[in-house]
Amino acid sequence: MFKIGCHLSSAGGYLAMGQTARSIGANVFQFFTRNPRGGAAKPMDRNDVRDFIAYANREGIGPILAHAPYTLNAAGAEARVREFAETTMADDLKRLELTPGALYNFHPGCHMGQGTDKGVELIASMLVRILSRLDAPPSTTILLETMAGKGTEVGRTFEELRAIIDAVEPKLPFPYRLGVCLDTCHVWDGGYDVADGLDDVIAEFDSVVGLDRLKAVHLNDSMNVRGSHKDRHACIGKGKIGVDALVRVINHPRLRDLPFYLETPNDLDGYRAEIAFLASRRAPVR
Ligand code: FE
Ligand code: FE
Ligand code: ZN
């Protein structure tokens, strides 16, 4: 089944997001766990969560993808910044246990001049501390997002994501596997040719990270040329990646069963149109 959806506002709660998703032809969605630029999270409304879970089961919606706030920087130079990241992620993971089986995506972080190796070390040690404090592995799968390499972002290369994974998993008190969310705009801006060399990019991801860790795709076009390190999303077919390439992404035999989340600059009508278009270009299983 084609799992396709988009980023939605969480202002109305979980059930409202599920209903909105359905109303635009989506069967998955992404949302911010809290204000993307701030810190405070609304208290969880347990009735809303219960109603949403029943609705999602009935309508076949999910997996839901929770996105950590942009301000979360595990690799920050200041202790205060790193502490905010740690407190926030720990709290997000606790809340997400109310919606079992969710995905939780975060931007690995910006090293702020400390260097990539130091960034990797700070990100990994935060994940180890957060997870080690739990009694059991969370039901949520934590996803590292592939980044465009803007500024001092860590996670532009598949090797950097691998380094984080390798510095976390052996140190945990229980078996747990981190996942990855591949953002088509970000990897393109980071230099990977998902337009003309998709097979090679997927093969490289598989050899460095392992395709079994790929749990979600952020489906975005890019305003900028490959390797620009800009991270400006464009609507499907309105950017430099192009519609044909993005249609190849949703139909690629090794990607097609993943959930796809649009983060294109759209209102709900725009998302509805993009979802309908992509569904119309979805090839039958061979
Ligand atoms: Fe993101
Ligand atoms: Fe993204
Ligand atoms: Zn982005």
Side-chain angles (χ1 to χ4, degrees):
M1 202 221 308
F2 187 28
K3 288 276 180 189
I4 178 75
C6 63
H7 188 92
L8 294 177
S9 164
S10 61
Y14 280 91
L15 180 61
M17 286 192 282
Q19 290 167 333
T20 301
R22 193 176 179 282
S23 77
I24 59 172
N27 50 19
V28 296
F29 62 87
Q30 173 178 270
F31 61 101
F32 284 122
T33 54
R34 59 192 73 219
N35 184 319
R37 309 212 170 271
K42 280 184 300 187
M44 293 285 270
D45 176 343
R46 296 204 177 228
N47 291 332
D48 175 49
V49 170
R50 183 200 59 213
D51 292 347
F52 165 71
I53 290 171
Y55 183 82
N57 286 339
R58 193 169 71 237
E59 301 294 339
I61 291 171
I64 60 170
L65 175 50
H67 195 306
Y70 293 142
T71 43
L72 190 152
N73 185 10
E78 297 168 58
R80 178 182 57 80
V81 171
R82 296 195 302 269
E83 279 155 21
F84 169 80
E86 188 164 334
T87 318
T88 301
M89 185 179 288
D91 185 51
D92 281 349
L93 288 173
K94 189 171 156 215
R95 296 154 60 90
L96 284 168
E97 287 305 296
L98 295 177
T99 51
L103 304 170
Y104 179 62
N105 174 70
F106 79 109
H107 296 178
C110 295
H111 66 67
M112 312 304 283
Q114 302 173 96
T116 303
D117 290 351
K118 181 69 180 173
V120 165
E121 182 194 314
L122 288 168
I123 294 157
S125 60
M126 180 196 75
L127 289 168
V128 169
R129 282 192 304 277
I130 291 172
L131 289 166
S132 298
R133 281 196 293 266
L134 303 175
D135 301 326
S139 78
T140 302
T141 303
I142 300 174
L143 308 182
L144 306 164
E145 183 168 357
T146 60
M147 300 311 294
K150 192 167 92 180
T152 63
E153 276 172 356
V154 180
R156 180 185 70 76
T157 67
F158 300 156
E159 285 79 5
E160 289 170 20
L161 300 177
R162 179 80 231 181
I164 295 169
I165 292 166
D166 285 343
V168 171
E169 291 177 358
K171 300 203 177 103
L172 298 178
F174 41 64
Y176 182 74
R177 281 172 71 76
L178 294 166
V180 173
C181 173
L182 185 138
D183 186 310
T184 54
C185 169
H186 294 181
V187 292
W188 168 262
D189 282 23
Y192 293 100
D193 193 355
V194 286
D196 289 322
L198 182 62
D199 283 332
D200 290 344
V201 175
I202 292 171
E204 189 174 341
F205 184 95
D206 194 25
S207 77
V208 176
V209 177
L211 264 178
D212 58 328
R213 293 189 186 270
L214 186 57
K215 302 297 182 194
V217 174
H218 281 166
L219 194 72
N220 302 307
D221 212 327
S222 170
M223 307 243 284
N224 295 100
V225 295
R226 181 163 73 88
S228 63
H229 308 304
K230 288 266 180 39
D231 189 4
R232 300 275 314 276
H233 301 190
C235 289
I236 302 301
K238 301 271 163 54
K240 303 289 187 198
I241 300 176
V243 66
D244 292 341
L246 292 165
V247 166
R248 284 196 293 275
V249 169
I250 60 165
N251 287 310
H252 194 284
R254 306 200 67 184
L255 304 179
R256 59 174 292 128
D257 292 332
L258 294 167
F260 297 92
Y261 303 81
L262 296 160
E263 300 176 309
T264 46
N266 270 312
D267 57 14
L268 285 177
D269 284 335
Y271 279 132
R272 182 188 287 112
E274 282 191 348
I275 289 166
F277 169 75
L278 291 163
S280 78
R281 297 292 299 273
R282 177 82 164 172
V285 190
R286 278 178 293 167

